[in-house]
Each structure stands twice: as C-alpha cells, then as structure tokens.
Amino acid sequence: QQLLRRKALKIDNATERRICQALLQRLEKDKSNDVQTIAVACISDAVKICRDEQIAAMCDKLTAKIVQIDVEDMRDIYSIGLKTLIKVVPEKEGIGEIVTKHTVSRLLRGTKSTIETMRGECFDLLSELLSKFGEEVTESHDDIINVVMNEMEKSRDEDGEKFNNIRKRAIECLG
C-alpha cells in the first residue's frame, strides 16, 4: 500500500496488470476480513495511478463478481471495492465513459435478480455511478428509469421490510 501511494511511482503495463490482478485475487481467495479491507484500500490507491485499461478490467471483474456470487459476504466486499473505485477514480477525460461502459449493463441485470441483497447493491452502485458520471450514461437513462420504475411497482405489491429497503434504494437511484 505504501508503494502505491508514492507520488512519482511509474510502473509498466505488465506490472500494473499483475498488481491489479493480485489485488482482485486477494478479495476472492483470502477470506480474512483484514486482508480484504487492505486489498480494497490498495485498489483505492492503485486506481489513482493505473492506466484506463486496468481501470476497465477492474470494473469488469468487480461488477461480474457482484452479479454472479450468491454468497452475500463476498458480494459485499466486491461492492465495497467497486464503490471505492467509483469514488476515487481520477476525473480525467474519458474515464467516466470507461467506468460506466464496464459496469452499467451488468448492474442493470443485477437489479432484476431474485436475490434481494443483490438488487439492493446494484441500485446502490447505480446511484454512485449516476452521481459521479450521470452525463456519461445518457444512452442508458431510459433503461435505468424503466428498471427503477419496475422495482418501485414490484416493491409496492409485495410486503416486507426488505422490499421497502430495495424500493428506497431504487428511489435514491432515480434521484
């Protein structure tokens, strides 16, 4: 982590790719919460120095894991990783398009899952994306609005606190 925080750090493409892959593997293979927390912190630092293609690869991997994994604890750590990436990614030209291109379609599919916690996480992540890069997803605005409106209708028809929680997240996404 200290190495990644050096301001003048310059690494080649291959090393950068290996670092990013190793960080993502720590999230998956190491079940220790401490190691996962450090890996997320390192993702935060790595994103600041990575080239666009590595940011895109991390977005792909994190988003894929969020919508594929049935284990809630594992999905949570990938979700935290992606939220961190979205918050800290440098605001340079074209980066919003890269991040949204590699996340929005999967997150929209995740909002249609039968797993309530996955739907909630996907709405949270869409909210984060729209807050930071809303103008970059104009071509997906109709799809996002349709998914949100469908969720609000579905949640209203069903009883239970978990559905109200998902509806709240969908409304936040709409906002």
Side-chain angles (χ1 to χ4, degrees):
Q1 191 173 7
Q2 291 175 353
L3 179 64
L4 291 173
R5 289 185 176 167
R6 288 189 184 162
K7 293 185 193 267
L9 180 66
K10 298 287 182 194
I11 52 176
D12 62 81
N13 236 358
T15 304
E16 185 179 287
R17 184 173 41 259
R18 287 196 318 265
I19 289 170
C20 292
Q21 288 171 348
L23 292 173
L24 293 172
Q25 285 175 346
R26 291 291 54 94
L27 294 179
E28 183 174 354
K29 293 183 179 177
D30 202 310
K31 304 304 180 210
S32 167
N33 287 342
D34 292 338
V35 172
Q36 290 173 335
T37 301
I38 292 169
V40 168
C42 287
I43 286 172
S44 173
D45 294 329
V47 164
K48 295 173 186 172
I49 62 168
C50 282
R51 293 172 183 84
D52 293 353
E53 57 268 12
Q54 291 310 315
I55 293 172
M58 285 194 289
C59 287
D60 278 338
K61 177 81 172 193
L62 292 168
T63 309
K65 291 293 188 177
I66 290 166
V67 298
Q68 290 172 351
I69 290 185
D70 292 339
V71 180
E72 188 173 341
D73 291 343
M74 291 302 296
R75 187 178 326 105
D76 286 347
I77 195 67
Y78 290 115
S79 181
I80 291 167
L82 185 57
K83 282 178 188 174
T84 300
L85 185 148
I86 292 166
K87 286 179 182 176
V88 302
V89 70
E91 292 191 32
K92 58 184 181 180
E93 188 173 330
I95 198 67
E97 183 180 346
I98 290 167
V99 172
T100 56
K101 177 182 172 188
H102 292 273
T103 55
V104 171
S105 62
R106 282 192 185 117
L107 292 175
L108 285 173
R109 283 195 304 272
T111 62
K112 299 172 186 173
S113 171
T114 58
I115 303 170
E116 288 83 15
T117 55
M118 181 185 301
R119 290 191 351 239
E121 287 294 334
C122 288
F123 279 117
D124 283 348
L125 289 162
L126 280 170
S127 293
E128 291 285 336
L129 278 171
L130 290 169
S131 292
K132 188 160 183 181
F133 301 117
E135 68 227 22
E136 301 292 337
V137 291
T138 54
E139 70 280 351
S140 298
H141 281 175
D142 288 340
D143 294 333
I144 293 168
I145 290 171
N146 287 333
V147 164
V148 169
M149 298 306 287
N150 287 338
E151 184 62 42
M152 290 169 56
E153 285 297 318
K154 182 167 72 173
S155 295
R156 187 181 320 156
D157 295 338
E158 300 181 24
D159 292 332
E161 189 173 314
K162 63 183 172 186
F163 294 106
N164 288 332
N165 187 23
I166 295 171
R167 183 171 45 197
K168 287 177 189 174
R169 291 173 166 186
I171 291 169
E172 288 174 13
C173 185
L174 184 62

